[in-house]
Structure formats: C-alpha cells, structure tokens
Amino acid sequence: MEIREQLIRVNPYSRPGTKIEPTKVIVHYVGNPGSTAQNNRDYFDNLATTHATYVSAHYVVGLQGEVIRCIPEEEISYGASEGNKYGINIEVCHPDKTGKFSAVTEEALAELAADICKRRGFDPGKDVIRHYDVTGKKCPLWYVEHPEAWLTFRERVRALAGQTQRDRPIYLVQAGAFADKSNAHRLAQQLSHLGFDAFVKEER
C-alpha cells in the first residue's frame, strides 16, 4: 500500500495542530458520491482560506484505492466529535449514494487500518470503529445499514494485521499454592462464590 503524504496547512478549521494519543481508528464515508481522494484532501486544505466549516481527516482513501495522508496521526482531525480526541479519522470515497465502497477502495481501507493496528498495537475487533459508533450518525452509510458487511470488513483487517482471536496473550492470576489438596479446593470454592472462575491444578 502506497500512502501519498499531502499534509494540509495548519489552521483552526481543519488542522489546528493539537496533539493527541490515538487509541482508535474511526472509519467514515465522504457523503459526496464520485468525489476523489484529492478532491476531499483539497477541500480540507482550502478551509484555511474559506473558513466554511470545521472538518478534516487524517487519511482519505480514494475511488481507485489511492491513500492520501492529510494530517499526522499524532494531531487531532475534525471528523467525529468527541472521537477526535482519541481517533485516527479515515474518510473513504464511494461511487454512488448507497455509500458502498468499491472492492479496490475497501481493500485499501483494510490495508491502511491493519497497518495502523499493527504499528500501534490496536485490536481490530475493538479499536476499529465507525463514526456511527461514536455519535450515532449514519456514517459510513453502507456499514451502518449492512452491519454484516462491517463485521466482515473488521475480520479482513484482523487477518491483514496477522491477528486471530488467540493471538493476544492472556494473563492468569494465581491466588495461592498449597501442599494440602483440601485447602486448595476450599480456596477455589470461596473464589467461585465470589464470582471468580477458579480451578485446582496439580503440579509436581
């Protein structure tokens, strides 16, 4: 995946330069059928002059799978209200009003999201979210109206990131060790009554 870096100008309307520590990837659709990644990037940049509104994204994925980086990931972008404080916003182009991404666009989006997840240690199953999940807005429209497509997309991101449900470590908490087996079972029962999963394991 090739990322074309075309950073927009620092300005109050689309790139204020405020630092963030991202914890999520937030996926959007541009809502302007047929517009290109370059069109949307240039719109964000021109807000420095027009002052028309406050909006931007870190990345835009285009109709042919092109990817433009507009803002560094460690700076805020204006895409998802409260989510801006923790999200890497990705705007995605689409050919028509259904909001469905073309196959090449969706694959580029998946590769970009997977790359971010790998670099930052994000879990695609929890940390790749929709604008809808932050504010309730129907964005990206296709993934909101077709939640099964969203789940399939996130599994694609997980696969590209080299993760499976068991790839991440689990952490065991040991409550005690006993020479007397009855004491071990007594503690296990006490923990179970408190709502904790507990079992006795014999080691020699």
Side-chain angles (χ1 to χ4, degrees):
M1 175 192 58
E2 178 184 355
I3 297 175
R4 290 156 33 193
E5 182 148 313
Q6 297 184 33
L7 300 182
I8 63 177
R9 290 170 283 175
V10 175
N11 72 92
Y13 294 87
S14 53
R15 187 190 169 190
T18 306
K19 298 297 183 182
I20 61 170
E21 294 184 5
T23 59
K24 304 286 184 186
V25 173
I26 305 177
V27 178
H28 307 254
Y29 85 132
V30 297
N32 186 13
S35 64
T36 67
Q38 193 68 54
N39 293 154
N40 285 278
R41 179 266 169 204
D42 292 346
Y43 176 74
F44 298 152
D45 187 61
N46 286 336
L47 290 173
T49 301
T50 65
H51 305 173
T53 188
Y54 296 87
V55 67
S56 57
H58 293 91
Y59 296 92
V60 185
V61 181
L63 297 170
Q64 304 303 318
E66 68 275 26
V67 179
I68 299 177
R69 179 186 288 121
C70 306
I71 297 175
E73 292 177 3
E74 294 77 17
E75 291 183 23
I76 199 169
S77 69
Y78 292 150
S81 189
E82 287 298 308
N84 297 333
K85 298 175 182 178
Y86 55 78
I88 296 173
N89 288 300
I90 304 175
E91 287 282 358
V92 188
C93 298
H94 47 97
D96 57 46
K97 65 181 182 180
T98 67
K100 185 177 182 179
F101 307 142
S102 69
V104 66
T105 297
E106 188 172 50
E107 183 63 15
L109 171 62
E111 290 179 5
L112 175 59
D115 176 67
I116 295 170
C117 288
K118 285 192 289 187
R119 287 190 284 104
R120 295 188 171 274
F122 292 174
D123 179 350
K126 297 187 301 182
D127 300 328
V128 178
I129 62 176
R130 302 164 295 183
H131 185 180
Y132 172 80
D133 300 315
V134 180
T135 67
K137 181 179 179 179
K138 282 194 169 185
C139 174
L141 182 62
W142 184 264
Y143 285 153
V144 174
E145 294 186 341
H146 300 82
E148 71 286 353
W150 173 246
L151 295 177
T152 299
F153 169 75
R154 285 208 301 194
E155 285 307 308
R156 177 62 178 151
V157 175
R158 185 186 294 281
L160 288 169
Q163 296 184 17
T164 67
Q165 294 289 352
R166 295 182 179 272
D167 277 343
R168 287 181 170 253
I170 60 172
Y171 302 92
L172 303 178
V173 178
Q174 180 173 318
F178 304 91
D180 188 322
K181 187 175 182 179
S182 62
N183 290 335
H185 281 288
R186 186 177 300 111
L187 178 58
Q189 289 175 347
Q190 291 172 349
L191 291 171
S192 294
H193 286 313
L194 293 172
F196 299 101
D197 291 332
F199 61 91
V200 175
K201 180 180 177 182
E202 181 178 330
E203 291 190 359
R204 294 180 178 275

